[in-house]
């Protein structure tokens, strides 16, 4: 909340906040990068000694399995 002090925020708080939303893989990664940048600014400004977001890992992108037709199958699809 708005009354939360920055030095009281823990990694588990950030993970809980991220888990409260149903982000896709790409959006989850962007929010993790945002949190890291935000808390890195606090560390650079000497408001924190270390970032609670430093060890949060983004979700791995799931690579979909796509079946590619052979050239003959492609020709058949085009003919139809």
């Amino acid at each position: 909340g708005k009354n939360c002090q920055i030095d009281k925020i823990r990694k588990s708080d950030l993970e809980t906040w991220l888990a409260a939303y149903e982000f896709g893989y790409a959006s989850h990664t962007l929010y993790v990068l945002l949190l890291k940048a935000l808390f890195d600014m606090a560390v650079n400004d000497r408001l924190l000694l270390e970032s609670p977001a430093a060890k949060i890992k983004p979700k791995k992108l799931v690579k979909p399995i796509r079946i590619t037709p052979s050239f003959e199958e492609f020709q058949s699809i085009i003919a139809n």
Side-chain angles (χ1 to χ4, degrees), residues 30-67:
L30 289 174
Y31 276 98
V32 168
L33 292 174
L34 171 78
L35 290 172
K36 286 183 179 196
L38 182 69
F39 283 98
D40 283 345
M41 285 175 28
V43 170
N44 291 336
D45 290 343
R46 298 183 191 157
L47 300 173
L48 293 172
L49 294 176
E50 64 180 74
S51 169
K55 295 183 180 177
I56 295 177
K57 298 193 184 209
K59 290 183 180 179
K60 289 191 175 187
L61 187 62
V62 176
K63 199 172 192 180
I65 300 172
R66 293 191 174 100
I67 301 172

